[in-house]
Amino acid sequence: MTESDAAPSKPSFFSRNWPTCTIALIAILSLASIIERNRIRSNWWAWRLTQTTDQPEREYLLACLVSVGEDSTDALHRLANHTDAALRTIAVFGLQKLPADVAVPELSQMLNDSDEDVRLQAATSLAFINTPAATTALCRAAKSESILAAGAAIAALARPPADKVLAALCQAAQDRRPFLRAQAVESLGELLTDGKGQPAQPCDPLR
């Protein structure tokens, strides 16, 4: 037997550090369990929302969804595409509480909803989110060929800071569709008289 054969084998990394590795593994599995549990719970709460018309219960279930943050994204997406407009409106309130990069694309799509309340609530939520992406989404929707999406967006543009939306509203005030022109004038009036700041440049409807 050689000297090398007689030498004891070197213990593996896991053998040397098994307590630390075990604790780390338990922590990872626990975190994964919590994340998955929140997703399962959010889907359950969303399903319960579809089964009740009781307003206090719906408010409670929405609060539950909001409490798990981004883990409720899939559940809220399904509600946002439900056939019941009331449930789509609830989804808007939930989406508004998610990070902007998650909420803005979904809410932007909802500006085209067939229900007026859903469209207006989605537009208002984008205005309250008030990030550059949300404001850009509203300004883009204000020029939409869909009069429904454009009308909701123009109405909501009365809320962001004037310097961010003035050009979009001035352009909407010249739209070929009378309804949108009227809505733009109304939003301009609210924007310039409710203490949200004066425009840097006058809005010339003839320009």
Side-chain angles (χ1 to χ4, degrees):
M1 176 180 294
T2 65
E3 185 178 346
S4 60
D5 292 334
S9 61
K10 186 178 180 180
S12 66
F13 175 84
F14 183 79
S15 298
R16 298 194 312 271
N17 300 278
W18 70 267
T20 302
C21 292
T22 301
I23 293 172
L25 180 60
I26 291 173
I28 292 171
L29 291 175
S30 297
L31 179 61
S33 174
I34 290 172
I35 293 174
E36 194 60 32
R37 181 186 66 182
N38 283 342
R39 288 175 179 165
I40 293 172
R41 291 164 71 195
S42 66
N43 286 320
W44 165 254
W45 292 324
W47 179 80
R48 284 292 304 138
L49 276 165
T50 68
Q51 303 301 305
T52 181
T53 56
D54 181 70
Q55 189 60 27
E57 185 176 4
R58 282 188 162 184
E59 291 175 359
Y60 167 75
L61 291 169
L62 175 60
C64 290
L65 280 170
V66 169
S67 72
V68 298
E70 288 187 73
D71 288 332
S72 66
T73 300
D74 291 342
L76 288 170
H77 174 76
R78 282 194 290 277
L79 289 175
N81 291 278
H82 199 277
T83 55
D84 185 346
L87 292 174
R88 299 199 299 275
T89 301
I90 289 173
V92 171
F93 286 111
L95 288 165
Q96 183 179 336
K97 302 297 183 180
L98 296 182
D101 61 333
V102 176
V104 169
E106 193 81 48
L107 291 171
S108 298
Q109 290 294 322
M110 298 182 80
L111 293 175
N112 294 291
D113 196 276
S114 60
D115 183 83
E116 181 179 12
D117 288 339
V118 176
R119 294 194 304 272
L120 291 176
Q121 190 56 56
T124 301
S125 293
L126 285 168
F128 278 120
I129 289 174
N130 195 27
T131 63
T135 303
T136 297
L138 285 173
C139 291
R140 185 184 301 116
K143 297 182 287 188
S144 172
E145 285 302 311
S146 166
I147 193 171
L148 303 179
I154 292 169
L157 284 174
R159 296 182 180 276
D163 61 330
K164 304 295 184 183
V165 301
L166 182 62
L169 285 176
C170 287
Q171 184 175 356
Q174 303 171 63
D175 194 278
R176 68 183 188 280
R177 293 161 288 188
F179 168 73
L180 298 183
R181 293 200 300 272
Q183 183 61 67
V185 169
E186 181 178 338
S187 292
L188 280 167
E190 292 181 27
L191 186 71
L192 302 179
T193 59
D194 65 357
K196 292 184 179 179
Q198 294 296 320
Q201 298 179 359
C203 176
D204 182 359
L206 299 179
R207 188 170 56 190

